Amino acid sequence: MAGEFQQTLERVAAKASIVAQRYKLVERQRDEALERAEALEEELRRRDREIQDLRRQVEFLRTALTIAPERSDVERARSVLASLVREIDACIADLNN
């Protein structure tokens, strides 16, 4: 009877040891998963900030493009200004005569 009890006790101790080892393994895996999740969350925050900066740049460029004159508008404005300068020069020449 004492021998049976001793064997039962040894089996329970062996099973408890296995459970403890598995618990440590699962605990280590959980810790690794939590670290990985934290790293991924930080990466997500970094990318969100980057996306926000890029959207701001896109909005700035759209605004700049809307405000910036087209090449044909610049050439037309130069032509008008050159014409006005010629007229002013002609008027000054007439006044001097």
Side-chain angles (χ1 to χ4, degrees), residues 28-41:
R28 190 172 61 245
Q29 289 173 340
R30 182 205 58 167
D31 291 344
E32 289 171 359
L34 289 174
E35 288 176 8
R36 179 74 175 137
E38 188 175 323
L40 289 172
E41 286 175 356

Side-chain angles (χ1 to χ4, degrees), residues 7 21 49 65-66 73:
Q7 288 175 347
Q21 289 173 357
R49 286 190 301 267
L65 187 60
T66 302
D73 292 338

Side-chain angles (χ1 to χ4, degrees), residues 50-81:
E50 184 179 352
I51 288 170
Q52 189 177 24
D53 289 344
L54 291 172
R55 284 184 177 160
R56 201 171 334 178
Q57 288 178 7
V58 166
E59 186 61 31
F60 173 77
L61 290 173
R62 282 184 182 154
T63 302
L65 187 60
T66 302
I67 293 172
E70 292 182 15
R71 183 157 183 81
S72 62
D73 292 338
V74 171
E75 290 174 5
R76 201 172 318 122
R78 283 183 182 163
S79 173
V80 168
L81 287 175

